[in-house]
Amino acid sequence: MILGDKKSNGPQFSKLIVIIVGIICLLGVVATAMASLWLSMTETVAIALIGAFGSIVATTLIWFLKKSQVENNTKIYMEAYKDIAMFKINHGEDASDLLQNVENNMINKMDDNINEAINEGASLIEQVEVSR
């Protein structure tokens, strides 16, 4: 299954979110266009609604792509560390120091990422004044 995860039979939750948001926004755009034609909705309101739907879809896709990027980077690093450790072990070298450093670095990176996400989530949204 294209949307499936290797560990489960169904689609991943994040992919379901992207699909559901996309479908809802597509239906919203169609409903807005129909309301604009048949209910004499002004063009300004219709354009604003369609723009809002587009921004929701864009935000969802960016969230999904950033999540996928983090997952892929983590997989690449983990595979590289595993390959280096296996190379050392296969050539009779001690890999315990490498594995301990990898574990410490991963824990530090996770802590840094969590702290950064908390700081970003708790930061104030700045008001921008538009001059005419």
mmCIF file of all heavy atoms in Angstrom, residues 4 26 33 39 41 51 82 86-87 90-91 110 113 118:
data_model
loop_
_atom_site.group_PDB
_atom_site.id
_atom_site.type_symbol
_atom_site.label_atom_id
_atom_site.label_comp_id
_atom_site.label_asym_id
_atom_site.label_seq_id
_atom_site.Cartn_x
_atom_site.Cartn_y
_atom_site.Cartn_z
ATOM 1 N N GLY A 4 0.830 3.058 3.279
ATOM 2 C CA GLY A 4 1.034 2.212 4.441
ATOM 3 C C GLY A 4 2.398 2.359 5.064
ATOM 4 O O GLY A 4 3.368 2.745 4.428
ATOM 5 N N LEU A 26 -10.615 21.182 -0.619
ATOM 6 C CA LEU A 26 -11.095 21.100 -1.998
ATOM 7 C C LEU A 26 -12.618 21.230 -2.039
ATOM 8 O O LEU A 26 -13.162 21.969 -2.874
ATOM 9 C CB LEU A 26 -10.657 19.777 -2.635
ATOM 10 C CG LEU A 26 -11.070 19.573 -4.097
ATOM 11 C CD1 LEU A 26 -10.415 20.627 -4.986
ATOM 12 C CD2 LEU A 26 -10.706 18.192 -4.559
ATOM 13 N N ALA A 33 -17.150 28.326 -4.670
ATOM 14 C CA ALA A 33 -17.405 28.680 -6.068
ATOM 15 C C ALA A 33 -18.890 28.554 -6.393
ATOM 16 O O ALA A 33 -19.464 29.429 -7.064
ATOM 17 C CB ALA A 33 -16.578 27.787 -6.994
ATOM 18 N N LEU A 39 -25.565 31.982 -5.102
ATOM 19 C CA LEU A 39 -26.086 32.750 -3.979
ATOM 20 C C LEU A 39 -25.635 34.210 -4.003
ATOM 21 O O LEU A 39 -25.771 34.909 -3.025
ATOM 22 C CB LEU A 39 -25.665 32.107 -2.651
ATOM 23 C CG LEU A 39 -26.119 30.667 -2.431
ATOM 24 C CD1 LEU A 39 -25.566 30.139 -1.118
ATOM 25 C CD2 LEU A 39 -27.637 30.564 -2.450
ATOM 26 N N MET A 41 -22.737 35.582 -3.860
ATOM 27 C CA MET A 41 -21.688 35.957 -2.923
ATOM 28 C C MET A 41 -20.722 36.889 -3.653
ATOM 29 O O MET A 41 -20.418 36.668 -4.819
ATOM 30 C CB MET A 41 -20.941 34.708 -2.439
ATOM 31 C CG MET A 41 -19.803 34.979 -1.473
ATOM 32 S SD MET A 41 -18.811 33.503 -1.121
ATOM 33 C CE MET A 41 -19.966 32.489 -0.248
ATOM 34 N N GLY A 51 -8.593 31.741 -0.651
ATOM 35 C CA GLY A 51 -7.240 31.985 -0.141
ATOM 36 C C GLY A 51 -7.018 31.343 1.225
ATOM 37 O O GLY A 51 -5.941 30.806 1.505
ATOM 38 N N LYS A 82 25.211 2.965 12.541
ATOM 39 C CA LYS A 82 25.187 1.503 12.580
ATOM 40 C C LYS A 82 26.267 0.926 11.666
ATOM 41 O O LYS A 82 26.993 -0.002 12.051
ATOM 42 C CB LYS A 82 23.803 0.992 12.162
ATOM 43 C CG LYS A 82 23.656 -0.515 12.258
ATOM 44 C CD LYS A 82 22.263 -0.954 11.906
ATOM 45 C CE LYS A 82 22.237 -1.180 10.421
ATOM 46 N NZ LYS A 82 20.995 -1.760 9.923
ATOM 47 N N MET A 86 29.413 -1.290 12.853
ATOM 48 C CA MET A 86 29.619 -2.636 12.293
ATOM 49 C C MET A 86 30.990 -2.742 11.625
ATOM 50 O O MET A 86 31.657 -3.769 11.730
ATOM 51 C CB MET A 86 28.506 -2.973 11.298
ATOM 52 C CG MET A 86 27.153 -3.205 11.946
ATOM 53 S SD MET A 86 27.168 -4.483 13.225
ATOM 54 C CE MET A 86 27.583 -5.917 12.273
ATOM 55 N N PHE A 87 31.416 -1.697 10.945
ATOM 56 C CA PHE A 87 32.740 -1.688 10.304
ATOM 57 C C PHE A 87 33.836 -1.849 11.350
ATOM 58 O O PHE A 87 34.762 -2.623 11.179
ATOM 59 C CB PHE A 87 32.919 -0.384 9.516
ATOM 60 C CG PHE A 87 34.231 -0.284 8.809
ATOM 61 C CD1 PHE A 87 34.430 -0.934 7.606
ATOM 62 C CD2 PHE A 87 35.272 0.462 9.360
ATOM 63 C CE1 PHE A 87 35.647 -0.844 6.946
ATOM 64 C CE2 PHE A 87 36.490 0.546 8.721
ATOM 65 C CZ PHE A 87 36.684 -0.109 7.508
ATOM 66 N N ASN A 90 33.684 -5.428 12.776
ATOM 67 C CA ASN A 90 34.173 -6.406 11.800
ATOM 68 C C ASN A 90 35.685 -6.347 11.627
ATOM 69 O O ASN A 90 36.297 -7.335 11.218
ATOM 70 C CB ASN A 90 33.498 -6.197 10.453
ATOM 71 C CG ASN A 90 32.038 -6.598 10.477
ATOM 72 O OD1 ASN A 90 31.608 -7.365 11.327
ATOM 73 N ND2 ASN A 90 31.273 -6.057 9.544
ATOM 74 N N HIS A 91 36.291 -5.211 11.936
ATOM 75 C CA HIS A 91 37.744 -5.074 11.811
ATOM 76 C C HIS A 91 38.451 -5.168 13.160
ATOM 77 O O HIS A 91 39.606 -4.766 13.306
ATOM 78 C CB HIS A 91 38.091 -3.757 11.111
ATOM 79 C CG HIS A 91 37.776 -3.784 9.655
ATOM 80 N ND1 HIS A 91 36.523 -3.531 9.160
ATOM 81 C CD2 HIS A 91 38.549 -4.087 8.574
ATOM 82 C CE1 HIS A 91 36.530 -3.650 7.851
ATOM 83 N NE2 HIS A 91 37.735 -3.992 7.452
ATOM 84 N N MET A 110 17.932 15.487 20.870
ATOM 85 C CA MET A 110 16.502 15.410 21.179
ATOM 86 C C MET A 110 16.118 16.472 22.208
ATOM 87 O O MET A 110 15.094 17.140 22.068
ATOM 88 C CB MET A 110 16.132 14.009 21.683
ATOM 89 C CG MET A 110 16.095 12.976 20.585
ATOM 90 S SD MET A 110 15.455 11.377 21.115
ATOM 91 C CE MET A 110 16.785 10.770 22.109
ATOM 92 N N ASN A 113 16.061 19.825 20.452
ATOM 93 C CA ASN A 113 14.876 19.957 19.594
ATOM 94 C C ASN A 113 13.618 20.211 20.411
ATOM 95 O O ASN A 113 12.776 21.026 20.041
ATOM 96 C CB ASN A 113 14.692 18.714 18.728
ATOM 97 C CG ASN A 113 15.690 18.640 17.607
ATOM 98 O OD1 ASN A 113 16.293 19.632 17.228
ATOM 99 N ND2 ASN A 113 15.885 17.445 17.080
ATOM 100 N N ILE A 118 9.535 24.045 22.272
ATOM 101 C CA ILE A 118 8.830 24.692 23.378
ATOM 102 C C ILE A 118 9.004 26.203 23.315
ATOM 103 O O ILE A 118 8.048 26.959 23.490
ATOM 104 C CB ILE A 118 9.301 24.125 24.736
ATOM 105 C CG1 ILE A 118 8.809 22.692 24.900
ATOM 106 C CG2 ILE A 118 8.837 25.000 25.895
ATOM 107 C CD1 ILE A 118 9.390 21.976 26.093
#
